[in-house]
């Protein structure tokens, strides 16, 4: 069963934020996208999830069709955005599902406000190990990322960037959805988007890898936590998933075979099934 997905806007701390909403009943699920992305990434699972849950998928500030002021898009800033977003919608307790950067934001929120998190789902999440592909970490070098922005904002550069990201993010790049490719291309040419992406990357990474790892804090999480990972992830190695699960009080692991960094896009049926199975045991 599928349900209708609505596109909405809301003012959060003075910023105009786009989000998608699906479903009217059940436990609230908040889906958080990764770096240099948008809530469109959840399009392949939103209709099915909305049949059982109340689902919200926002564009972070700086990304997608949300406002893009010139500021530092650090994970801590985005965690505070999540606090304010839930307050604005009147959501007191929810399941947080975060991919990549969104996973780190959800993790930071869960560590600081555990009483508001019914369950946590970390999907190929950053913050669980130092290793990361050099293709992203090298963008943090002084000047290098800034030069890359100039080229990628042009129509030919945006097209090339989209296909390069598909090669990095999908186990089978040729099968990346045309809608996903088009969204990457569109966002590359939006004023402020690539600048927000670069400040976000620099807040997370340096040339050697990830700045901050939360492995030693995972044992503090009281809520059920599902770690989902594509077995062919080229961005963050799957060993980080195995390490994270061993440190959780209520940890569960779901490895998605033949899949890259975006299981909810590349293998939405398997992802949805694993998520639903996990959530069946979570109290509302």
């Amino acid at each position: 069963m599928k349900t209708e997905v609505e596109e909405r806007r809301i003012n959060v701390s003075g910023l105009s934020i786009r989000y998608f909403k699906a479903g009217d009943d059940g436990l609230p699920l908040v889906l958080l996208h990764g770096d240099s992305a948008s809530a469109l990434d959840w399009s392949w699972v939103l209709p099915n999830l909305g049949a059982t849950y109340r689902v919200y998928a926002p564009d972070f500030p700086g990304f997608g069709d949300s406002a893009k002021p010139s500021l530092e898009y650090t994970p801590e800033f985005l965690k505070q955005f999540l606090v304010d977003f839930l307050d604005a919608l009147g959501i007191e307790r929810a399941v947080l599902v975060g991919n990549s950067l969104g996973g780190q934001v959800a993790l930071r929120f869960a560590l600081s406000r555990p009483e508001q998190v019914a369950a946590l789902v970390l999907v190929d999440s950053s913050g669980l190990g130092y290793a990361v592909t050099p293709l992203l970490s090298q963008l943090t070098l002084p000047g290098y990322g800034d030069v890359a922005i100039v080229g990628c904002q042009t129509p030919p550069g945006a097209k090339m960037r989209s296909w390069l990201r598909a090669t990095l993010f999908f186990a089978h790049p040729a099968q990346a959805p045309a809608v996903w490719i088009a969204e990457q291309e569109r966002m590359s040419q939006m004023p402020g988007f690539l600048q927000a992406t670069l400040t976000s990357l620099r807040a997370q990474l340096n040339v050697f890898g990830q700045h901050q790892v939360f492995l030693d804090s995972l044992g503090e999480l009281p809520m059920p936590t599902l770690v989902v990972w594509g077995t062919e992830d080229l961005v963050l190695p799957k060993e980080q998933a195995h390490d994270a699960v061993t440190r959780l009080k209520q940890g569960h692991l779901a490895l998605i075979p033949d899949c890259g960094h975006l299981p909810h896009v590349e293998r939405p049926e398997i992802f949805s099934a694993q998520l639903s199975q996990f959530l069946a045991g979570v109290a509302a």
Side-chain angles (χ1 to χ4, degrees), residues 15 24 76 108 138 149 155 164 183 187 201 210 229 239 266:
L15 299 177
D24 297 312
E76 193 62 26
R108 287 171 178 264
Q138 68 183 359
I149 283 177
L164 287 174
E183 174 76 343
M187 290 190 297
L201 280 176
Q210 299 188 58
W229 224 270
E239 287 75 20
E266 190 166 17

PDB file of all heavy atoms in Angstrom, residues 15 24 76 108 138 149 155 164 183 187 201 210 229 239 266:
ATOM      1  N   LEU A  15      13.979  30.779   8.763  1.00  0.00           N
ATOM      2  CA  LEU A  15      14.383  30.198   7.484  1.00  0.00           C
ATOM      3  C   LEU A  15      13.214  29.451   6.856  1.00  0.00           C
ATOM      4  O   LEU A  15      12.509  28.687   7.536  1.00  0.00           O
ATOM      5  CB  LEU A  15      15.561  29.234   7.678  1.00  0.00           C
ATOM      6  CG  LEU A  15      16.852  29.825   8.235  1.00  0.00           C
ATOM      7  CD1 LEU A  15      17.888  28.722   8.422  1.00  0.00           C
ATOM      8  CD2 LEU A  15      17.399  30.917   7.317  1.00  0.00           C
ATOM      9  N   ASP A  24      -0.791  10.052   7.956  1.00  0.00           N
ATOM     10  CA  ASP A  24      -1.432  10.850   9.009  1.00  0.00           C
ATOM     11  C   ASP A  24      -1.486  10.143  10.348  1.00  0.00           C
ATOM     12  O   ASP A  24      -1.889  10.734  11.346  1.00  0.00           O
ATOM     13  CB  ASP A  24      -2.862  11.215   8.582  1.00  0.00           C
ATOM     14  CG  ASP A  24      -2.883  12.090   7.332  1.00  0.00           C
ATOM     15  OD1 ASP A  24      -2.122  13.078   7.296  1.00  0.00           O
ATOM     16  OD2 ASP A  24      -3.634  11.778   6.392  1.00  0.00           O
ATOM     17  N   GLU A  76      26.620  20.466  14.072  1.00  0.00           N
ATOM     18  CA  GLU A  76      25.979  20.988  15.278  1.00  0.00           C
ATOM     19  C   GLU A  76      24.899  22.005  14.928  1.00  0.00           C
ATOM     20  O   GLU A  76      23.820  22.034  15.550  1.00  0.00           O
ATOM     21  CB  GLU A  76      27.021  21.615  16.203  1.00  0.00           C
ATOM     22  CG  GLU A  76      26.518  21.904  17.606  1.00  0.00           C
ATOM     23  CD  GLU A  76      26.077  20.658  18.368  1.00  0.00           C
ATOM     24  OE1 GLU A  76      26.562  19.545  18.073  1.00  0.00           O
ATOM     25  OE2 GLU A  76      25.213  20.807  19.259  1.00  0.00           O
ATOM     26  N   ARG A 108      23.784  12.945  16.867  1.00  0.00           N
ATOM     27  CA  ARG A 108      24.041  14.045  17.802  1.00  0.00           C
ATOM     28  C   ARG A 108      22.771  14.404  18.582  1.00  0.00           C
ATOM     29  O   ARG A 108      22.815  14.653  19.796  1.00  0.00           O
ATOM     30  CB  ARG A 108      24.548  15.276  17.043  1.00  0.00           C
ATOM     31  CG  ARG A 108      25.984  15.163  16.541  1.00  0.00           C
ATOM     32  CD  ARG A 108      26.342  16.321  15.624  1.00  0.00           C
ATOM     33  NE  ARG A 108      27.715  16.274  15.165  1.00  0.00           N
ATOM     34  CZ  ARG A 108      28.738  16.922  15.714  1.00  0.00           C
ATOM     35  NH1 ARG A 108      28.515  17.702  16.767  1.00  0.00           N
ATOM     36  NH2 ARG A 108      29.957  16.823  15.241  1.00  0.00           N
ATOM     37  N   GLN A 138      39.501  15.343  -0.185  1.00  0.00           N
ATOM     38  CA  GLN A 138      40.408  16.269  -0.865  1.00  0.00           C
ATOM     39  C   GLN A 138      39.734  17.603  -1.189  1.00  0.00           C
ATOM     40  O   GLN A 138      40.411  18.621  -1.388  1.00  0.00           O
ATOM     41  CB  GLN A 138      40.948  15.635  -2.148  1.00  0.00           C
ATOM     42  CG  GLN A 138      39.909  15.435  -3.235  1.00  0.00           C
ATOM     43  CD  GLN A 138      40.482  14.728  -4.458  1.00  0.00           C
ATOM     44  OE1 GLN A 138      41.655  14.408  -4.497  1.00  0.00           O
ATOM     45  NE2 GLN A 138      39.643  14.498  -5.448  1.00  0.00           N
ATOM     46  N   ILE A 149      33.802  24.390  -7.197  1.00  0.00           N
ATOM     47  CA  ILE A 149      32.469  24.995  -7.192  1.00  0.00           C
ATOM     48  C   ILE A 149      32.240  25.800  -8.464  1.00  0.00           C
ATOM     49  O   ILE A 149      31.175  25.710  -9.094  1.00  0.00           O
ATOM     50  CB  ILE A 149      32.292  25.898  -5.951  1.00  0.00           C
ATOM     51  CG1 ILE A 149      32.046  25.044  -4.712  1.00  0.00           C
ATOM     52  CG2 ILE A 149      31.138  26.876  -6.147  1.00  0.00           C
ATOM     53  CD1 ILE A 149      31.942  25.843  -3.440  1.00  0.00           C
ATOM     54  N   PRO A 155      26.303  24.666 -16.553  1.00  0.00           N
ATOM     55  CA  PRO A 155      25.508  23.507 -17.000  1.00  0.00           C
ATOM     56  C   PRO A 155      26.337  22.278 -17.346  1.00  0.00           C
ATOM     57  O   PRO A 155      26.016  21.170 -16.875  1.00  0.00           O
ATOM     58  CB  PRO A 155      24.743  24.067 -18.210  1.00  0.00           C
ATOM     59  CG  PRO A 155      24.589  25.525 -17.895  1.00  0.00           C
ATOM     60  CD  PRO A 155      25.869  25.919 -17.202  1.00  0.00           C
ATOM     61  N   LEU A 164      29.498  11.926 -11.869  1.00  0.00           N
ATOM     62  CA  LEU A 164      30.598  11.516 -10.998  1.00  0.00           C
ATOM     63  C   LEU A 164      30.069  11.089  -9.630  1.00  0.00           C
ATOM     64  O   LEU A 164      30.546  10.103  -9.042  1.00  0.00           O
ATOM     65  CB  LEU A 164      31.605  12.659 -10.845  1.00  0.00           C
ATOM     66  CG  LEU A 164      32.488  12.947 -12.059  1.00  0.00           C
ATOM     67  CD1 LEU A 164      33.321  14.202 -11.820  1.00  0.00           C
ATOM     68  CD2 LEU A 164      33.403  11.752 -12.361  1.00  0.00           C
ATOM     69  N   GLU A 183      18.093  15.920 -10.221  1.00  0.00           N
ATOM     70  CA  GLU A 183      18.078  16.738  -9.006  1.00  0.00           C
ATOM     71  C   GLU A 183      19.481  17.208  -8.653  1.00  0.00           C
ATOM     72  O   GLU A 183      19.692  18.374  -8.278  1.00  0.00           O
ATOM     73  CB  GLU A 183      17.472  15.940  -7.848  1.00  0.00           C
ATOM     74  CG  GLU A 183      17.525  16.624  -6.498  1.00  0.00           C
ATOM     75  CD  GLU A 183      16.506  17.728  -6.308  1.00  0.00           C
ATOM     76  OE1 GLU A 183      15.935  18.206  -7.324  1.00  0.00           O
ATOM     77  OE2 GLU A 183      16.286  18.154  -5.162  1.00  0.00           O
ATOM     78  N   MET A 187      20.452  21.162  -8.518  1.00  0.00           N
ATOM     79  CA  MET A 187      20.948  21.799  -7.302  1.00  0.00           C
ATOM     80  C   MET A 187      22.336  22.408  -7.501  1.00  0.00           C
ATOM     81  O   MET A 187      22.649  23.443  -6.904  1.00  0.00           O
ATOM     82  CB  MET A 187      20.966  20.794  -6.151  1.00  0.00           C
ATOM     83  CG  MET A 187      19.593  20.398  -5.651  1.00  0.00           C
ATOM     84  SD  MET A 187      19.628  19.427  -4.103  1.00  0.00           S
ATOM     85  CE  MET A 187      20.515  17.964  -4.624  1.00  0.00           C
ATOM     86  N   LEU A 201      31.152  19.961   4.294  1.00  0.00           N
ATOM     87  CA  LEU A 201      32.235  18.986   4.184  1.00  0.00           C
ATOM     88  C   LEU A 201      33.419  19.372   5.053  1.00  0.00           C
ATOM     89  O   LEU A 201      34.013  18.536   5.747  1.00  0.00           O
ATOM     90  CB  LEU A 201      32.681  18.860   2.729  1.00  0.00           C
ATOM     91  CG  LEU A 201      31.837  17.992   1.799  1.00  0.00           C
ATOM     92  CD1 LEU A 201      32.379  18.072   0.376  1.00  0.00           C
ATOM     93  CD2 LEU A 201      31.826  16.538   2.268  1.00  0.00           C
ATOM     94  N   GLN A 210      37.559  11.838   8.698  1.00  0.00           N
ATOM     95  CA  GLN A 210      36.522  12.511   9.470  1.00  0.00           C
ATOM     96  C   GLN A 210      37.101  13.136  10.747  1.00  0.00           C
ATOM     97  O   GLN A 210      37.945  12.546  11.410  1.00  0.00           O
ATOM     98  CB  GLN A 210      35.412  11.530   9.832  1.00  0.00           C
ATOM     99  CG  GLN A 210      34.716  10.931   8.609  1.00  0.00           C
ATOM    100  CD  GLN A 210      33.500  10.124   8.979  1.00  0.00           C
ATOM    101  OE1 GLN A 210      32.560  10.608   9.602  1.00  0.00           O
ATOM    102  NE2 GLN A 210      33.497   8.861   8.576  1.00  0.00           N
ATOM    103  N   TRP A 229      23.602  -0.455   6.062  1.00  0.00           N
ATOM    104  CA  TRP A 229      24.777  -0.120   5.247  1.00  0.00           C
ATOM    105  C   TRP A 229      24.729  -0.876   3.919  1.00  0.00           C
ATOM    106  O   TRP A 229      24.388  -2.057   3.873  1.00  0.00           O
ATOM    107  CB  TRP A 229      26.051  -0.522   5.959  1.00  0.00           C
ATOM    108  CG  TRP A 229      27.160   0.499   5.915  1.00  0.00           C
ATOM    109  CD1 TRP A 229      28.136   0.612   4.963  1.00  0.00           C
ATOM    110  CD2 TRP A 229      27.406   1.539   6.868  1.00  0.00           C
ATOM    111  NE1 TRP A 229      28.977   1.658   5.259  1.00  0.00           N
ATOM    112  CE2 TRP A 229      28.548   2.245   6.433  1.00  0.00           C
ATOM    113  CE3 TRP A 229      26.767   1.936   8.039  1.00  0.00           C
ATOM    114  CZ2 TRP A 229      29.069   3.327   7.139  1.00  0.00           C
ATOM    115  CZ3 TRP A 229      27.290   3.015   8.739  1.00  0.00           C
ATOM    116  CH2 TRP A 229      28.419   3.694   8.295  1.00  0.00           C
ATOM    117  N   GLU A 239      32.848  -1.756   7.295  1.00  0.00           N
ATOM    118  CA  GLU A 239      33.423  -2.135   8.581  1.00  0.00           C
ATOM    119  C   GLU A 239      32.998  -1.170   9.691  1.00  0.00           C
ATOM    120  O   GLU A 239      32.925  -1.552  10.870  1.00  0.00           O
ATOM    121  CB  GLU A 239      34.957  -2.171   8.492  1.00  0.00           C
ATOM    122  CG  GLU A 239      35.507  -3.348   7.702  1.00  0.00           C
ATOM    123  CD  GLU A 239      35.339  -3.180   6.196  1.00  0.00           C
ATOM    124  OE1 GLU A 239      35.156  -2.024   5.745  1.00  0.00           O
ATOM    125  OE2 GLU A 239      35.372  -4.203   5.482  1.00  0.00           O
ATOM    126  N   GLU A 266      18.871   3.159  -4.027  1.00  0.00           N
ATOM    127  CA  GLU A 266      19.307   2.073  -4.909  1.00  0.00           C
ATOM    128  C   GLU A 266      18.564   0.761  -4.651  1.00  0.00           C
ATOM    129  O   GLU A 266      18.317  -0.008  -5.593  1.00  0.00           O
ATOM    130  CB  GLU A 266      20.816   1.852  -4.756  1.00  0.00           C
ATOM    131  CG  GLU A 266      21.393   0.914  -5.804  1.00  0.00           C
ATOM    132  CD  GLU A 266      22.907   0.954  -5.879  1.00  0.00           C
ATOM    133  OE1 GLU A 266      23.546   1.468  -4.918  1.00  0.00           O
ATOM    134  OE2 GLU A 266      23.460   0.504  -6.890  1.00  0.00           O
TER     135      GLU A 266
END
